Amino acid sequence: MARVIFDRVSKYFGDVIALRDFDLDVHDREFLVMVGPSGSGKSTALRLIAGLEEATSGRIFIGDRMVNEIEPRDRDVAMVFQSYALYPHMNVFDNLAHPLQLRRVSRAEVEQRVRRVAEMLSIEELLNRKPRELSGGQRQRVALGRAIVRDPQVFLMDEPLSNLDAKLRVRTRAELIRLHERLRSTIVYVTHDQQEAMTLGDRIAVLNGGMLQQLGAPQIVYERPANLFVAGFIGSPAMNFFEARLASRDEALFVEGSGLEILVPPERARGLDRYAGHEIVLGVRPEHLYERSEVESAPPGSSLEAVVDVVEPMGNEVFVYLTTAGQLFTARLNADADLRRGERVMLVVDTYKMHLFDRETERAVL
Ligand SMILES: Nc1ncnc2c1ncn2[C@@H]1O[C@H](COP(=O)(O)OP(=O)(O)OP(=O)(O)O)[C@@H](O)[C@H]1O
Ligand SMILES: [Mg+2]
């Protein structure tokens, strides 16, 4: 059993609040990804699990043990840092063997465990090389191997792929998924690359300002962001936001803003009445906008007129930056969309996928 639990944990550095009343329950064998902007408390959370920082208040559990008072070396966790440091004078084999030798594991077992991990990471051919004779990606794998060889209950990974180039990142990402399947151990993984979060995590925890904003399966967080922050942070290009008001007319609800009048589909309007008259924010993902001419029948109250500002062909699709009533927004359209700067275009909003947020509390209401 290796759950990791934060029970109302706060961490202060002087006046700086790095984590505030933080609750989180990482399941046994889960791959949990923490995301959030710089300074949101991600590394602090990992360092608290590892015992490299002490909580100001609250309790931390690994398995069934409360670990607040337990020394880092007795916590049975292994941490891979962004700036992993391999021992430069040791070859790969010795780098991998070192954590085991410190634990007085027998020579035969060290040999066996190092070989097994090297095979798992496809670095068997590199065991006799020194770190300086390795590529960035190979070094990264050795650093991972050094954590794996210890066979800890919990892996803590703090942006372990951030030194890799884009292509190698994607490959190593896939390797990590396979690795997790083989190891079946608990992994808490920090990144600010949200593509990494979406693809790696069983669940993702979104942090901002030392507070947990939302915890859930990646698809759920993408489809049902709990608040404006999560909505804007998850998804790339980011969700478009339009300031608006919710108006009730003829037994229907409309989202009204400058240049906007969008009908809330009746099936989705239930329970929204109480926000009639309120200031809200309409959220529309770029992928939920379509060219009117491409849509067979757009439901009434789903169109929006805009002027094309910039067109960015991506090969398989185009990102179009547009303005409506002075507000800039983005649409992801079909690759064959033939749009020019300055052109007027009618767009259709997929109103079944749009989001509404209470402007005051910033919470999602639809
Ligand atoms: N040792 C420290 N002393 C003082 N303040 C600290 C210390 N460590 C972290 N902080 C502060 O705590 C907050 C959270 O920092 P943390 O390193 O956890 O952020 P992060 O989410 O990992 O950011 P990044 O994505 O940039 O790595 C920040 O405001 C940071 O400046
Ligand atoms: Mg960090």
Side-chain angles (χ1 to χ4, degrees):
M1 270 291 287
R3 295 162 66 185
V4 176
I5 297 170
F6 285 83
D7 177 23
R8 288 190 72 84
V9 173
S10 292
K11 174 63 183 175
Y12 291 70
F13 293 102
D15 296 339
V16 178
I17 307 179
L19 276 188
R20 188 195 308 242
D21 285 336
F22 190 72
D23 281 323
L24 181 68
D25 186 345
V26 185
H27 302 156
D28 184 30
R29 298 180 177 176
E30 179 169 35
F31 200 136
L32 184 117
V33 177
M34 271 187 203
V35 279
S38 190
S40 55
K42 307 179 297 293
S43 296
T44 302
L46 284 198
R47 294 171 61 80
L48 284 163
I49 302 170
L52 303 173
E53 301 288 355
E54 205 176 313
T56 310
S57 62
R59 301 183 301 167
I60 297 169
F61 294 84
I62 299 175
D64 297 324
R65 276 198 310 174
M66 185 176 110
V67 295
N68 290 52
E69 306 290 326
I70 292 179
E71 290 292 317
R73 64 166 180 279
D74 298 325
R75 293 193 184 195
D76 202 12
V77 302
M79 190 149 167
V80 184
F81 296 93
Q82 171 179 352
S83 52
Y84 53 89
L86 301 175
Y87 300 109
H89 57 285
M90 291 184 192
N91 66 19
V92 169
F93 184 97
D94 291 329
N95 264 286
L96 293 174
H98 191 66
L100 297 176
Q101 286 156 351
L102 288 179
R103 279 150 197 259
R104 306 190 185 287
V105 174
S106 75
R107 191 184 291 187
E109 195 185 334
V110 169
E111 176 85 24
Q112 190 207 343
R113 280 165 73 172
V114 168
R115 301 255 167 227
R116 201 183 58 211
V117 168
E119 186 201 336
M120 209 184 270
L121 294 170
S122 314
I123 49 174
E124 306 110 299
E125 266 80 73
L126 308 175
L127 289 171
N128 293 320
R129 294 211 205 156
K130 297 273 172 62
R132 73 179 128 75
E133 298 162 333
L134 303 175
S135 74
Q138 291 167 335
R139 274 182 229 168
Q140 197 88 56
R141 269 181 277 166
V142 176
L144 272 175
R146 212 166 45 171
I148 293 167
V149 80
R150 289 173 48 190
D151 193 21
Q153 286 198 70
V154 180
F155 287 99
L156 306 173
M157 302 189 183
D158 199 349
E159 313 217 16
L161 309 187
S162 54
N163 291 329
L164 304 184
D165 65 47
K167 209 161 151 194
L168 200 52
R169 267 177 99 117
V170 172
R171 228 182 60 208
T172 315
R173 211 157 73 192
E175 279 171 12
L176 270 174
I177 294 172
R178 281 198 292 277
L179 199 64
H180 177 242
E181 278 165 12
R182 288 180 71 170
L183 295 171
R184 299 179 58 68
S185 47
T186 310
I187 301 181
V188 186
Y189 186 101
V190 163
T191 178
H192 47 253
D193 177 331
Q194 51 151 313
Q195 215 174 2
E196 234 168 82
M198 292 298 287
T199 50
L200 284 176
D202 293 320
R203 289 187 304 164
I204 62 184
V206 185
L207 275 74
N208 190 33
M211 290 192 283
L212 183 63
Q213 305 290 317
Q214 189 167 4
L215 171 67
Q219 199 60 29
I220 299 290
V221 175
Y222 169 84
E223 283 172 10
R224 299 205 291 270
N227 59 35
L228 267 180
F229 175 79
V230 175
F233 190 77
I234 298 292
S236 175
M239 189 186 285
N240 299 299
F241 295 127
F242 304 90
E243 308 253 300
R245 258 177 92 250
L246 199 60
S248 172
R249 252 188 292 120
D250 310 328
E251 310 203 343
L253 285 173
F254 291 86
V255 177
E256 293 182 344
S258 35
L260 275 181
E261 193 182 59
I262 306 278
L263 173 69
V264 180
E267 312 80 307
R268 298 192 74 198
R270 257 171 278 133
L272 266 184
D273 273 354
R274 62 201 163 102
Y275 292 99
H278 282 224
E279 303 290 306
I280 53 161
V281 176
L282 165 68
V284 182
R285 293 203 182 276
E287 52 272 41
H288 298 149
L289 285 162
Y290 301 87
E291 256 187 291
R292 171 81 166 259
S293 52
E294 298 276 303
V295 179
E296 266 182 30
S297 69
S302 64
S303 302
L304 131 85
E305 192 183 31
V307 177
V308 176
D309 186 21
V310 176
V311 180
E312 278 183 1
M314 308 299 285
N316 59 337
E317 58 182 352
V318 275
F319 291 174
V320 185
Y321 302 91
L322 309 109
T323 53
T324 184
Q327 178 160 354
L328 194 67
F329 68 100
T330 313
R332 263 173 107 152
L333 303 178
N334 283 334
D336 51 18
D338 182 24
L339 296 172
R340 317 263 138 134
R341 185 177 161 78
E343 192 176 331
R344 282 192 173 277
V345 57
M346 283 303 267
L347 296 174
V348 175
V349 175
D350 184 344
T351 53
Y352 288 86
K353 299 212 167 125
M354 69 183 181
H355 303 262
L356 299 180
F357 303 90
D358 182 328
R359 210 184 296 177
E360 201 174 304
T361 63
E362 303 198 344
R363 292 231 179 89
V365 297
L366 179 71

